[in-house]
């Protein structure tokens, strides 16, 4: 009972529900458009922007604006650090689930 | 891509890192003493109390004070609603992990 509890391996920057969803959607490495992320996660513009700012400040995602015809669009991509952080979260979650599944 | 993303099944009351740890430790149904929870999760008294209050307000855990010789102790127990909520969280987390593991 003295080994570290799995939640000690969770980082609130990544673990927060909406940010976890953003990183999960971006995990494959394919850039996603702002509006697509917003729809998938059922968010408002403001709420998605707020969480993207946290992830951008932590260098876990990057944003790129495309111009051209029509409204400019924002494309989000996970960074290498973001992928590493997300994978560490999954490892901690798997450990948590394994602990909870013990009889 | 139109089915609900797994994070939509997460409830912030349960998902928050420390509260997830508290519920995981209590999940078996055995009562745990405040100080033991605090040590396992490496928390201060104030921080543990704050999260226990959120869980108590949501009727997910209950507290009982024991008296007798020495300092009174507080014992925490998960409620049926707490167990249901924690199990729903695990189901959503398993779905999230499965999604992330897709090639």
């Amino acid at each position: 009972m003295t080994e570290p509890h799995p939640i000690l391996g969770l980082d609130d920057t990544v673990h927060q529900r909406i940010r976890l969803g953003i990183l999960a959607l971006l995990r494959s490495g394919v850039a996603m458009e702002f509006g697509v992320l917003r729809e998938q996660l059922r968010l408002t513009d403001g709420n998605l922007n707020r969480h993207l700012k946290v992830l951008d400040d932590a260098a876990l995602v990057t944003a790129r604006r495309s111009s051209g015809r029509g409204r400019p669009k924002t494309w989000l991509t996970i960074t290498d650090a973001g992928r590493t952080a997300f994978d560490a979260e999954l490892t901690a979650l798997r450990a948590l689930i394994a602990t909870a599944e013990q009889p």
Side-chain angles (χ1 to χ4, degrees), chain A residues 12-72:
Chain A
D12 287 326
T13 306
V14 175
H15 182 69
Q16 194 279 338
R17 194 177 71 83
I18 291 168
R19 294 194 291 271
L20 191 59
I22 295 169
L23 292 172
L25 286 169
L26 296 177
R27 173 64 183 81
S28 72
V30 178
M32 286 186 88
E33 198 267 317
F34 184 92
V36 175
L37 272 176
R38 188 192 52 210
E39 298 298 315
Q40 290 276 318
L41 301 175
R42 314 278 198 276
L43 299 173
T44 61
D45 283 7
N47 207 357
L48 177 53
N49 264 323
R50 190 163 66 86
H51 289 292
L52 285 174
K53 176 160 171 31
V54 174
L55 292 171
D56 187 63
D57 287 350
L60 304 182
V61 303
T62 53
R64 181 173 57 78
R65 253 171 116 73
S66 67
S67 48
R69 306 208 311 188
R71 285 177 57 187

Side-chain angles (χ1 to χ4, degrees), chain A residues 5-7 10 15 90-102:
Chain A
H5 190 277
I7 66 138
L10 298 174
H15 182 69
L90 290 193
T91 300
L93 291 179
R94 283 193 199 93
L96 180 88
I97 291 171
T99 304
E101 281 170 345
Q102 280 168 11

